[in-house]
Amino acid sequence: MSVNRKIQTLDEFTIQQMRDFPHATGELAGLLRDIGLAAKRVNTEVNKAGLVDILGDAGSINVQGEEVKKLDVYANNQFMGVLQHGISCAGIGSEELDDIVVFDDPVSNNSKYVCLFDPLDGSSNIDVNVSIGTIFSVFRRVSELGKPATQEDFLQPGNKQVAAGYVIYGSSTMLVYATRRGVNGFTLDPSIGEYTLSHPNIKCPEKGKIYSVNHGNFFQYEEGVKSYITVCQKKDKATGGPYTQRYIGSMVADVHRNLIKGGIFMYPGTTDKPKGKLRLLYECNPFAFIMEIAGGKATNGKIRVLDIQPTELHQRTPFFVGSKLMMEELETHYKG
Ligand code: AHM
């Protein structure tokens, strides 16, 4: 007899997915569980962010006698800690750290995955109670199992990602992750402390009504980008314009909204910063992967983001991501 389960937790879901692959080792499920756990801890601290003046500023000592860390350092340590002490990850790369951290112990050296993450993206928004997030990307190692992971494991193009996802600390906390099988979203139910499947098989609408870009930089964008932005603002039956402009300045929140509702997010290069601001490995690759699996597109203005061969850990890239038809319209104006 099979019981009809209405609620499915993240763990139940990943185990269910494993059952379809009899040869799966459970390492990826373990990795996602570890990420989910670290995110719960970060979520607890993010929710208390407004209390920081009561509990003590970064650099001071809190009531428990512990040093109060800046939230992004705290988040970095939580993710690094759970992955290091888990059994599914050979090493990490983090936006917070200059270099990769290879765990190099007998268990980790036999783990087949490495993980890259931005522990707290949009952290400048914490002070004003705006949604922020964690972004992660998982690669299968190319180095020999049984030995420590190497830089090569981390510098793989995004099309080699095995999974990618994000956690949004918003009006509710959600973990969304993609594998080649689909994109699924789980909302944290605070009453049981579990992520439960709330957004199964997310598909990005082919076309939306939202464009997200930092307008303050408008005069620094290339002509093609300006031309597309102008199209977004025009009343036009063919495009469905004018679109609505929405830009939080917290990428996880901006792209999450556009993924669900349909839309386009752009962080182009500027005359001051031709490569833009966003990091290929920690921000763009994961969102490009998620969006493509959901049916959307992601480019740097010239090529698919997922086809960029990274040369350094912290490299930046212009980034355009969103609904398929809106991205195709952008391409008619801007070829990088
Ligand atoms: P951060 O690493 O300082 O948090 O910056 C990343 C954030 C993204 O979440 C967001 O899309 C972008 O910076 C906003 O930048 P800008 O204020 O230049 O528009």
Side-chain angles (χ1 to χ4, degrees):
M1 185 183 79
S2 130
V3 180
N4 182 13
R5 303 289 311 271
K6 282 215 171 102
I7 293 176
Q8 204 173 20
T9 67
L10 174 65
D11 285 352
E12 287 176 312
F13 181 84
T14 51
I15 289 164
Q16 181 66 46
Q17 298 259 304
M18 262 177 63
R19 288 172 66 97
D20 298 341
F21 286 100
H23 300 298
T25 58
E27 267 190 73
L28 186 60
L31 192 59
L32 289 163
R33 189 187 54 232
D34 289 346
I35 289 171
L37 171 63
K40 281 187 210 171
R41 293 182 178 152
V42 172
N43 181 54
T44 304
E45 294 307 307
V46 167
N47 285 339
K48 288 194 294 204
L51 296 171
V52 76
D53 286 337
I54 301 167
L55 298 176
D57 269 330
S60 67
I61 306 293
N62 71 10
V63 283
Q64 280 93 37
E66 300 153 342
E67 204 186 349
V68 180
K69 300 253 189 262
K70 279 181 73 185
L71 260 181
D72 35 15
V73 177
Y74 175 85
N76 181 65
N77 292 345
Q78 288 306 317
F79 282 97
M80 196 165 83
V82 289
L83 293 173
Q84 182 156 25
H85 295 110
I87 55 168
S88 316
C89 186
I92 56 112
S94 164
E95 206 208 43
E96 283 291 319
L97 303 172
D98 290 341
D99 218 337
I100 55 171
V101 177
V102 173
F103 297 149
D104 195 9
D105 62 68
V107 174
S108 304
N109 289 346
N110 277 300
S111 304
K112 55 178 185 241
Y113 298 114
V114 294
C115 188
L116 289 138
F117 54 83
D118 180 351
L120 213 53
D121 183 71
S123 54
S124 56
N125 285 315
I126 295 171
D127 294 348
V128 288
N129 214 348
V130 165
S131 299
I132 48 178
T134 297
I135 313 169
F136 62 89
S137 163
V138 180
F139 286 93
R140 196 183 301 275
R141 291 171 59 183
V142 287
S143 58
E144 195 182 330
L145 273 189
K147 299 211 165 134
T150 64
Q151 178 105 342
E152 240 194 317
D153 298 324
F154 296 86
L155 293 182
Q156 299 187 57
N159 57 35
K160 295 275 197 263
Q161 287 173 106
V162 171
Y166 59 89
V167 181
I168 178 164
Y169 310 104
S171 43
S172 60
T173 297
M174 272 188 81
L175 187 152
V176 176
Y177 84 91
T179 62
R180 278 169 212 283
R181 302 180 69 191
V183 185
N184 290 281
F186 302 80
T187 301
L188 183 62
D189 179 346
S191 64
I192 55 168
E194 292 279 0
Y195 299 97
T196 53
L197 182 62
S198 52
H199 295 61
N201 198 20
I202 296 173
K203 294 284 174 213
C204 180
E206 278 204 327
K207 196 166 179 170
K209 293 280 282 177
I210 298 170
Y211 76 106
S212 311
V213 70
N214 185 336
H215 264 286
N217 292 333
F218 184 83
F219 293 106
Q220 289 204 49
Y221 295 146
E222 288 181 55
E223 287 311 314
V225 176
K226 288 192 215 167
S227 159
Y228 176 70
I229 292 175
T230 308
V231 165
C232 293
Q233 297 169 331
K234 275 195 183 138
K235 192 173 166 76
D236 183 342
K237 267 205 182 127
T239 64
Y243 302 147
T244 296
Q245 204 272 349
R246 291 279 181 269
Y247 188 72
I248 297 171
S250 184
M251 184 187 191
V252 176
D254 277 316
V255 182
H256 175 70
R257 180 201 51 237
N258 293 3
L259 171 69
I260 305 286
K261 293 194 163 188
I264 187 166
F265 171 93
M266 300 174 272
Y267 204 110
T270 60
T271 39
D272 286 349
K273 294 181 185 163
K275 290 184 177 162
K277 174 181 183 184
L278 302 176
R279 317 266 185 160
L280 173 63
L281 297 187
Y282 311 109
E283 292 163 321
C284 306
N285 265 345
F287 275 118
F289 183 81
I290 295 163
M291 196 56 96
E292 284 203 7
I293 300 286
K297 291 182 96 176
T299 72
N300 66 355
K302 289 186 185 138
I303 60 166
R304 239 180 123 208
V305 163
L306 296 181
D307 289 340
I308 301 173
Q309 172 61 55
T311 51
E312 50 182 297
L313 273 178
H314 295 284
Q315 92 186 54
R316 297 175 198 268
T317 176
F319 190 46
F320 304 86
V321 65
S323 293
K324 184 171 171 284
L325 297 179
M326 296 173 89
M327 286 292 296
E328 284 169 6
E329 174 74 25
L330 165 74
E331 283 158 24
T332 65
H333 292 263
Y334 180 59
K335 295 219 163 49

